[in-house]
Amino acid sequence: MTGIIDPGEEPADAAAREILEETGILAVPQRLVMVHVTDLVTYDNGDQTQYLDLVFRCGWQSGVPHPADGENTAVDWFPLNALPPMSDDIRKRIAAALSSEQAAQYVFSPPSPGGT
């Protein structure tokens, strides 16, 4: 599940809001697990962009999953050994959230020798 932070909104608040808006689940962000830049996104009108992606591990507080805002056609719980088909990017996010590592994962591209 993804979403965009509203102007002035704290990232963890945005994560909880997006979960509630899209699934009807009240969840509490527990920790930041991954920080990276998304691949290039090209929209139908030709606009291109990339996003700073902050991935949070969240804990369920209450609610029954359902398509709450029209952006989804189905929402459900799945055992980890029976997840539905999804992109490798989403699988990496899930792996980061399940990791016992307490520090967030991030991508670092060291400067090339002699470069700036």
Side-chain angles (χ1 to χ4, degrees):
M1 195 205 106
T2 64
I4 296 179
I5 298 170
D6 289 338
E9 187 176 31
E10 292 292 338
D13 292 341
R17 175 185 53 77
E18 287 285 349
I19 291 168
L20 183 61
E21 285 178 0
E22 294 184 17
T23 70
I25 296 293
L26 180 61
V28 174
Q30 298 171 329
R31 66 185 174 93
L32 180 67
V33 299
M34 178 187 267
V35 177
H36 69 108
V37 174
T38 65
D39 291 335
L40 185 67
V41 176
T42 302
Y43 292 98
D44 291 341
N45 67 358
D47 287 351
Q48 294 183 324
T49 189
Q50 288 181 286
Y51 296 97
L52 177 62
D53 188 35
L54 306 173
V55 181
F56 289 90
R57 177 181 177 140
C58 296
W60 175 87
Q61 294 294 299
S62 65
V64 177
H66 64 280
D69 68 356
E71 289 186 27
N72 299 301
T73 57
V75 179
D76 208 344
W77 300 111
F78 295 92
L80 291 174
N81 64 353
L83 294 173
M86 63 188 73
S87 70
D88 287 341
D89 181 59
I90 297 298
R91 288 194 180 278
K92 287 178 188 174
R93 294 173 191 197
I94 292 170
L98 294 173
S99 169
S100 61
E101 178 66 41
Q102 291 301 303
Q105 299 175 14
Y106 62 93
V107 175
F108 175 68
S109 303
S112 59
T116 55

